[in-house]
Amino acid sequence: MVSSGRFEARHGMRLPGGRVALTAALLAAVACVRPPLADDCPALAAGDLVISELRGPQSGSYRQWIELYNPTDAPVPARGLRLEFTQLDGTSPVAFVLRDEDLTIEPGDYLVVGGGPPDDFPYIDYDYTPDFHSSTNVDAPRDLYGAATLDLVSCGVVLDHLVYMGLPAEGTLSLDGSAPPDAASNDDSRAGWCANTSPGEGPQTGIGLNGTPGEANPPCP
């Protein structure tokens, strides 16, 4: 997590649609599990946020992430958002909650929630590792399920629901970028989703491709 000033500097002041507004200081100890979150969450309706891209476990140095998009005309506070994963057979549910009280997704913009600190991985806006880590190593992020249902929830309201049947071995699973992301048309990865092997903004490192975290996805073939 970076302050809004550092975020703007890192991205050259290019803030389409406002870009994600981040105003809090860096977490003091990423490896430490955070204390329980106060009982608050944004009052949102179904469709107010859209799941638009996922990167799963792969070889190479890029981290895993989930990208969220704000299709509304108002800023959406992110603190209290809950991401819930369940295997396709309905077993082994896992979840984590976003805990940054100053994190806001501006209208028409993206939030990239990933397994690494933004200071080290500038394509990530929020690090889920302290709350969604390996069962054997609190410093290592948990792997996303290769196939699962993913629900984005706030105050018990399901904002968006996705069933994804498999994550690509390279690049990302991306919602078709030929139209703005929409929660009513992204429920099943077998329709309107495709593998995204775009190199993204930054130089590539390791094996695999970056995808387009924090940016509009390319159209599917």
Side-chain angles (χ1 to χ4, degrees):
M1 178 178 64
V2 292
S3 69
S4 57
R6 289 194 62 182
F7 187 91
E8 293 169 5
R10 189 177 68 204
H11 289 265
M13 296 298 292
R14 185 176 58 80
L15 301 177
R19 192 57 179 132
V20 179
L22 300 171
T23 58
L26 285 168
L27 290 171
V30 171
C32 298
V33 177
R34 297 181 178 120
L37 182 70
D39 187 18
D40 63 347
C41 50
L44 301 173
D48 281 354
L49 288 174
V50 182
I51 302 162
S52 53
E53 187 173 15
L54 296 93
R55 180 183 172 89
Q58 297 177 22
S59 300
S61 60
Y62 281 114
R63 296 303 180 97
Q64 301 172 52
W65 73 73
I66 307 100
E67 179 188 77
L68 308 178
Y69 174 75
N70 177 5
T72 74
D73 58 3
V76 172
R79 178 179 177 176
L81 294 176
R82 179 179 173 90
L83 284 83
E84 302 177 350
F85 296 84
T86 307
Q87 293 190 9
L88 293 179
D89 62 2
T91 63
S92 304
V94 292
F96 64 89
V97 177
L98 274 61
R99 296 174 177 271
D100 184 351
E101 62 184 10
D102 294 319
L103 186 62
T104 301
I105 313 172
E106 297 295 332
D109 215 342
Y110 299 85
L111 174 71
V112 180
V113 180
D119 218 31
D120 297 331
F121 304 96
Y123 49 88
I124 292 175
D125 299 314
Y126 178 88
D127 179 17
Y128 59 58
T129 305
D131 297 309
F132 198 61
H133 54 73
S134 164
S135 60
T136 58
N137 182 2
V138 296
D139 294 326
R142 182 188 180 103
D143 282 342
L144 303 183
Y145 287 141
T149 62
L150 169 56
D151 288 306
L152 177 63
V153 180
S154 183
C155 296
V157 175
V158 178
L159 309 181
D160 196 11
H161 171 80
L162 167 65
V163 179
Y164 64 93
M165 307 307 294
L167 297 176
E170 287 189 347
T172 63
L173 178 65
S174 296
L175 187 60
D176 187 356
S178 60
D182 179 82
S185 61
N186 74 336
D187 291 350
D188 190 324
S189 70
R190 293 171 294 186
W193 291 77
C194 58
N196 176 2
T197 56
S198 300
E201 289 187 328
Q204 293 190 47
T205 56
I207 302 171
L209 296 170
N210 192 11
T212 50
E215 303 290 335
N217 297 333
C220 286

